[in-house]
Amino acid sequence: MRNGEKIARSWLMYSESTDCVMCFCCCLFRDRDKITQLSGDGFNNWKNVAAHLKQHERSTEHITNMQTWHALLHKLQTNTAIDQVNQDLIAFEVNRWKEILKRLLAIVNHLAERNLAFRGHSEKLFESGNGNFLGQVELMAQFDPVMQDHLRQIQKKEISDSYFSKDIQNELISLVAKCTTDAVVERIKRAKYYAVIMDCTPDLSHKEQLSVVLRIVNCELSKGVSVHEHFVGFLQAHDTTGKGLCESFLGHLEKLDLDLSNCRGQSYDNGSNMQGKKQGVQKRVLELNSKALCVPCGSHTLNLVIGDAAKSSLTSISFVGLLQRLYTLFSSSVHRWTILREHVKDLSVKALSTTRWECRVEAVKAVRYQLPEILKALTALMEYAKEKRDAEVVSTAGSIYQEMKRWPFLVSTIVWYNVLFQINKASKILQSPKVSVETIRNEITAVTDFLQDFRECGFNSAKTDAREIAERIEVEMNWPEVHQRTKKKTV
């Protein structure tokens, strides 16, 4: 108004699909012979909208329709309408569908939290293989009268809409995901500052996916200070270069309505597209926000150091290759695995992790503490293979048996177990989302001191432990001779 006061036009409504404004009461109670733009298709002449609205709200038709609307609204609120019975039926039906949707949302949350598939081979109720979603609906109907009545109406075809279709399921999943993402974004905005953690991983469909995690410090009076990491989405990376990944990340931040200027940290793996100092993601983000300092992933860096160190020694490569051959031999057949379990009771042989070197401590641990039992299992396997006349298994088991009864293998087992045990302990702490910088520093310092001490006196200690095992399995404690090639002198 001219005096600055604002009065809400409760009768005015806006249509996003047509980009027009309309009069609510005139659309309901209009005279068919006197249809205007506000009571028909809508008015979108924005330059003259103010004058047109003033003229409309002063018209006789609008005032009459407003009176009719308010009279009807009063009757509906006081339950005195002429069709009150129908209104009660409508309210009952609305409430019934709300209760059904509450139960369907509860099922969606239950399956999503446990990462379970929703659909099966069939999309019909009370058929085998109809999936977890319909199975949960059937289970709930056994005890819940609301869902039981809903299924009864569906079976008798009293209603055509069941809200069980795959499209409705996907829509409910999307709505729950949006509410979850909105809650996470709201928490990030309250914390204001955040750090980003990203990594690329190919999925089962051979598409590169960029996972985005935001790390914040949450300060609450009741709970105190706590660190949280929130997953905010998978992004399909069509371009895996530093430029392409950075554009995908910035586009996702814009979609979440988050400001890059509030980013205070980055953490990626050691790939050149992420950590590159000239064209990597961290460099491009730093150019836009100099306060977003990049901290390499400590666990990933530690893993690369161990992997490079192991690959620099032929003995280490042969040692881990033998462990993988041992697992492959026994896991390739049910009968072979049964023979192994008959002799090895506590710790079973494990496959080697292809990406995480510190996780190989579990494979080394089984051999470290159960080598005599594993040798007995190999002997029993050779006897079983001879009965079956399986020459390949006899040859493979025999060669592994001979390699594992050598002094270098025993010492390598002790050395690698001691080293990987300490490194795996540090790696687990580095991966904890709630660990402090001081704790990480102390743990890394402890591992560094251990490796330095182990380099000086650890080998003799490993030989002492290996000697106890060698005496039990009767292994000669001598090193193989190293033959050096003699160069002929040319005249």
Side-chain angles (χ1 to χ4, degrees), residues 305-317 320 357 360 416:
V305 170
I306 302 303
D308 293 341
K311 294 176 182 178
S312 64
S313 171
L314 182 61
T315 304
S316 298
I317 296 175
V320 296
W357 263 87
R360 301 187 178 194
W416 270 112

Side-chain angles (χ1 to χ4, degrees), residues 212-253:
V212 183
V213 176
L214 298 183
R215 183 181 176 101
I216 62 171
V217 178
N218 191 21
C219 301
E220 297 180 0
L221 295 176
S222 58
K223 299 180 180 179
V225 179
S226 58
V227 179
H228 296 274
E229 291 181 355
H230 296 288
F231 171 76
V232 292
F234 278 123
L235 309 180
Q236 187 170 345
H238 300 285
D239 184 5
T240 56
T241 62
K243 179 181 179 181
L245 296 177
C246 184
E247 290 177 353
S248 299
F249 168 62
L250 295 178
H252 193 57
L253 280 186

Side-chain angles (χ1 to χ4, degrees), residues 283-377:
K283 176 62 177 177
R284 296 178 181 275
V285 173
L286 278 175
E287 291 176 352
L288 300 174
N289 180 12
S290 59
K291 296 181 181 180
L293 302 179
C294 182
V295 180
C297 176
S299 179
H300 188 270
T301 304
L302 180 61
N303 182 72
L304 293 178
V305 170
I306 302 303
D308 293 341
K311 294 176 182 178
S312 64
S313 171
L314 182 61
T315 304
S316 298
I317 296 175
S318 301
F319 172 74
V320 296
L322 185 62
L323 293 182
Q324 185 62 39
R325 288 175 58 199
L326 177 67
Y327 173 79
T328 303
L329 176 65
F330 282 107
S331 62
S332 299
S333 170
V334 176
H335 296 290
R336 300 179 202 173
W337 194 261
T338 303
I339 294 174
L340 175 68
R341 298 304 299 168
E342 289 176 354
H343 294 82
V344 181
K345 303 295 184 181
D346 299 328
L347 300 173
S348 177
V349 294
K350 299 284 194 304
L352 299 181
S353 174
T354 57
T355 56
R356 291 190 172 274
W357 263 87
E358 71 275 4
C359 292
R360 301 187 178 194
V361 65
E362 297 297 329
V364 181
K365 184 179 181 180
V367 179
R368 164 68 176 84
Y369 291 104
Q370 296 181 139
L371 182 57
E373 291 80 0
I374 293 176
L375 292 175
K376 292 179 181 179

Side-chain angles (χ1 to χ4, degrees), residues 72-90:
L72 176 60
L73 183 62
H74 176 72
K75 292 180 180 180
L76 291 175
Q77 291 176 347
T78 56
N79 299 327
T80 58
I82 191 172
D83 59 343
Q84 188 58 42
V85 176
N86 293 333
Q87 295 297 326
D88 293 339
L89 292 175
I90 293 174

Side-chain angles (χ1 to χ4, degrees), residues 8 56 101 113 121 155 220-221 325 338 375 418 427 462 475:
H56 176 78
L101 288 176
E113 287 174 358
H121 302 292
Q155 288 178 315
E220 297 180 0
L221 295 176
R325 288 175 58 199
T338 303
L375 292 175
N418 293 340
S427 179
V475 173

Side-chain angles (χ1 to χ4, degrees), residues 319 347 358 360-369 410-424 450 454 462 465:
F319 172 74
L347 300 173
E358 71 275 4
R360 301 187 178 194
V361 65
E362 297 297 329
V364 181
K365 184 179 181 180
V367 179
R368 164 68 176 84
Y369 291 104
L410 290 179
V411 178
S412 297
T413 302
I414 303 300
V415 170
W416 270 112
Y417 177 73
N418 293 340
V419 172
L420 289 178
F421 178 81
Q422 296 294 331
I423 292 175
N424 184 58
F450 167 79
F454 194 82
D465 295 337

